[in-house]
């Protein structure tokens, strides 16, 4: 019976990723360091192999590197990202909740408009500046025009929706960055979070623009107050965060 590899019935299209030479017949050759045998055991040069325990492994820089399957430890992680890419992710995690908080503060405080020094109006309350008493905005809107009533309710809904979506996206972003392994699932979740940020920023910006437009056309005798500017700054910041987040997810997915 022959011990040659060439005499065995092995399919020619089968790839041998790991070769075991520990046999009674090959042990003397192994001890003598004669690996470049021409008698059927191996025809690959010795410098393509490295000895580990009782097996031979093909070196990473050899032409047979594509035959070796990747190990689980070879997968890309967030630790492999560049400094700039990591910084973009940190910026998003920091400024995304800040923008959501600014929009929430602006929406919940009654200082969107100053009505010639007598009252201050917010999305939910109307306050008397002389007595420091407040009432629900519905009482005031019941006596206002239908256009103002509709605009106020629409801006309120858009602003609150934007704040809720951005807060939810901020929570998901923290969990997203905590996941180290970079794979298809992480890229998909990143795109999903980007869509949520886009919707939140779009709602908040739409409410701000709509209120500004109504002020220019109907309320020029009043004065915009700090609650409006707080919500406007948060809306603009959320849009910038969305742009940065898209760039971050793109670099994370496609960078080597």
């Amino acid at each position: 019976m022959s011990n040659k590899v060439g005499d065995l019935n092995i399919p020619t299209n089968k790839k041998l990723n790991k070769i075991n030479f520990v046999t009674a017949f090959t042990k003397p050759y192994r001890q003598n360091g004669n690996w470049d045998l021409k008698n059927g055991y191996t025809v690959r040069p010795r410098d393509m192999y490295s000895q580990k325990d009782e097996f031979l492994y093909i070196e990473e820089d050899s032409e047979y590197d594509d035959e070796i399957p990747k190990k689980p430890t070879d997968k890309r992680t967030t630790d492999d990202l560049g400094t700039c890419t990591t910084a973009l992710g940190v910026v998003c995690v920091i400024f995304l909740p800040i923008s959501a908080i600014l929009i929430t503060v602006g929406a919940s405080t009654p200082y969107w408009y100053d009505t010639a020094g007598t009252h201050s109006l917010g999305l939910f309350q109307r306050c008397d500046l002389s007595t420091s008493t407040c009432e629900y905005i519905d009482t005031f809107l019941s006596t206002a025009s239908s256009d103002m009533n509709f605009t106020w309710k629409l801006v309120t809904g858009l602003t609150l929706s934007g704040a809720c979506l951005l807060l939810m996206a901020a929570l998901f972003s923290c969990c997203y960055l905590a996941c180290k392994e970079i794979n298809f699932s992480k890229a998909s979740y990143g795109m999903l979070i980007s869509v949520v940020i886009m919707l939140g920023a779009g709602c908040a910006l739409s409410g701000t623009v709509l209120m500004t437009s109504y002020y220019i056309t109907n309320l020029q005798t009043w004065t915009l107050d700090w609650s409006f500017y707080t919500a406007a700054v948060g809306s603009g910041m959320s849009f910038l965060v969305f742009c940065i987040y898209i760039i971050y997810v793109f670099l994370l997915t496609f960078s080597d």
Side-chain angles (χ1 to χ4, degrees), residues 164-179:
C164 292
L165 288 171
L166 291 173
L167 286 173
M168 183 172 60
L171 178 62
F172 288 163
S173 295
C174 295
C175 301
Y176 176 74
L177 292 182
C179 180

Side-chain angles (χ1 to χ4, degrees), residues 134-189:
C134 299
E135 62 181 3
Y136 287 112
I137 196 66
D138 292 340
T139 305
F140 170 75
L141 293 178
S142 62
T143 60
S145 63
S146 58
D147 289 342
M148 185 175 184
N149 202 324
F150 174 76
T151 301
W152 221 266
K153 291 182 179 180
L154 181 59
V155 171
T156 301
L158 289 173
T159 306
L160 289 180
S161 298
C164 292
L165 288 171
L166 291 173
L167 286 173
M168 183 172 60
L171 178 62
F172 288 163
S173 295
C174 295
C175 301
Y176 176 74
L177 292 182
C179 180
K180 295 292 186 179
E181 185 177 342
I182 301 175
N183 50 27
F184 178 77
S185 297
K186 186 174 179 68
S188 301
Y189 294 151

